[in-house]
Amino acid sequence: MKYSKLAIKILEYEGKEIYYDPVYHGRTLKVFGIDDDPTRVIDYIGDQFLEKEYGLIFFDTRGKYPKEKFDTIIEMEDNKPTGLDPIKMVKKGLLKDFYTASTIIQTIYGLDRSLTDKLYADILGGKVKSVADAAKSKEQYGEVIREVYTSLDETFFEGEVPKLGKSILVDFGKTYSISTVGMAFLILAAAVKDRRSTLIGIDDAAVLFYTTPGSAAIPLLTQPMRGRVTVLGSRYVAENLLNIPGPTLVLYNDPDLQSMIYEANGVPQGDMRKHVLKGEGAFVWRTTQTLEVDFGKLPFEG
């Protein structure tokens, strides 16, 4: 169904066009497939939303997306300064307030509520002006942070705070530390979570959601919000992704994995569970009363 101006064609079947409409189907679309298939679908969807004058914010774990679509490119590497210090980002207006910065540090380093409140008070009082200051502090929160704080962390928070334009590509293709990936993902998710007229692409979502900080970013980017669409792409059929509300696009994959996706979406056994072949897709979506599955071919070559 083409319900709103945000509807885009995602499948074709016997002359019929099948649309994904975020307003009607749900604002978080999950895409499961193998190899580069999820990437190609997200890239295609991104092009459609660029035509609608939406900004694009893509988190790319594999370094696969073309860079010319973006006005801000953040290339992440291990042991490379990023400037993503949440305390400094508040001062630059990229994060809402110092309590947000405190809770990000809490999530990354496992502070309890009382230590987080103490850290927040010290930030407000000017005693702590950066994550490095917090790690060096003689307060108890400093001791807790230092238990897991490494030279990679120290370097990560150094550097100038980046400028974030309308369209942002965060390239994790050269990053091997999953901790670094998780920290960057959470911090940037907090920075862009309130943006409207924006398509957020997350690929590979299972990788980015793997760590505790990464998991904390899930509700920030998937909570329904007018003017925002989120597409989660993955090569892993992970339970935490399957449980996120929203429609699902099933691409070519092993039969047992396709079956797991159908099962998680409540699709009954039988003809509705069509085996998706290469170049095809099954679009699984719900209304308040029904479950629907639309089959077809992808609307692009390859």
Side-chain angles (χ1 to χ4, degrees):
M1 176 178 290
K2 192 174 182 180
Y3 180 79
S4 77
K5 64 181 181 180
L6 295 182
I8 60 167
K9 181 174 67 175
I10 58 168
L11 296 172
E12 300 170 340
Y13 183 70
E14 295 182 349
K16 174 186 175 184
E17 295 183 339
I18 298 168
Y19 289 88
Y20 162 56
D21 189 332
V23 177
Y24 185 77
H25 297 118
R27 291 176 171 84
T28 298
L29 173 66
K30 296 164 288 183
V31 181
F32 294 99
I34 63 174
D35 298 331
D36 290 337
D37 291 352
T39 301
R40 290 168 57 245
V41 169
I42 294 176
D43 192 37
Y44 164 79
I45 292 174
D47 287 342
Q48 308 309 302
F49 275 87
L50 273 179
E51 294 179 2
K52 302 176 188 296
E53 299 184 347
Y54 262 48
L56 304 181
I57 300 176
F58 281 11
F59 296 92
D60 175 16
T61 62
R62 304 169 74 232
K64 293 287 186 176
Y65 289 90
K67 294 180 170 59
E68 59 269 13
K69 301 176 186 179
F70 304 91
D71 49 50
T72 299
I73 298 172
I74 300 176
E75 294 183 314
M76 302 294 303
E77 293 184 38
D78 295 331
N79 209 32
K80 176 183 176 182
T82 68
L84 296 177
D85 185 317
I87 300 173
K88 295 178 181 178
M89 290 174 72
V90 174
K91 298 175 183 178
K92 293 290 186 179
L94 297 181
L95 289 176
K96 185 178 180 181
D97 50 48
F98 287 120
Y99 193 74
T100 298
S102 300
T103 57
I104 289 173
I105 297 170
Q106 172 193 26
T107 303
I108 293 172
Y109 294 108
L111 304 181
D112 63 22
R113 181 180 296 179
S114 62
L115 294 181
T116 303
D117 288 344
K118 175 59 177 171
L119 171 62
Y120 176 54
D122 286 351
I123 293 173
L124 290 180
K127 295 180 181 179
V128 174
K129 298 180 180 179
S130 66
V131 175
D133 287 348
K136 295 173 184 175
S137 174
K138 295 181 180 180
E139 298 289 345
Q140 189 176 354
Y141 60 74
E143 296 179 15
V144 174
I145 291 173
R146 285 193 296 274
E147 288 181 2
V148 292
Y149 191 80
T150 69
S151 60
L152 288 178
D153 295 51
E154 183 177 9
T155 302
F156 174 90
F157 292 114
E158 293 175 346
E160 293 294 321
V161 175
K163 295 180 180 179
L164 302 180
K166 181 178 180 180
S167 290
I168 305 166
L169 174 64
V170 185
D171 184 352
F172 293 106
K174 297 180 180 178
T175 311
Y176 299 96
S177 168
I178 191 65
S179 298
T180 298
V181 170
M183 288 194 300
F185 182 48
L186 173 60
I187 294 165
L188 288 166
V192 303
K193 69 182 181 67
D194 293 324
R195 291 201 180 189
R196 308 276 178 158
S197 298
T198 299
L199 173 75
I200 296 176
I202 302 175
D203 180 14
D204 190 294
V207 174
L208 289 170
F209 292 169
Y210 180 75
T211 64
T212 298
S215 295
I218 294 176
L220 301 182
L221 300 180
T222 61
Q223 180 182 3
M225 190 172 81
R226 290 188 181 92
R228 183 180 75 185
V229 181
T230 301
V231 184
L232 309 177
S234 186
R235 292 144 200 84
Y236 305 94
V237 182
E239 185 176 358
N240 61 343
L241 295 183
L242 293 171
N243 290 337
I244 295 174
T248 299
L249 181 61
V250 186
L251 305 177
Y252 172 66
N253 211 327
D254 287 350
D256 56 339
L257 295 179
Q258 291 188 30
S259 179
M260 287 177 61
I261 299 168
Y262 282 133
E263 187 73 26
N265 280 276
V267 180
Q269 294 189 16
D271 293 341
M272 291 184 73
R273 295 194 184 190
K274 183 178 179 181
H275 184 199
V276 179
L277 302 177
K278 184 174 175 58
E280 297 179 340
F283 182 47
V284 184
W285 56 281
R286 294 177 180 272
T287 69
T288 54
Q289 297 178 325
T290 64
L291 172 70
E292 305 289 342
V293 183
D294 294 322
F295 300 99
K297 292 187 176 296
L298 296 172
F300 50 83
E301 297 295 327

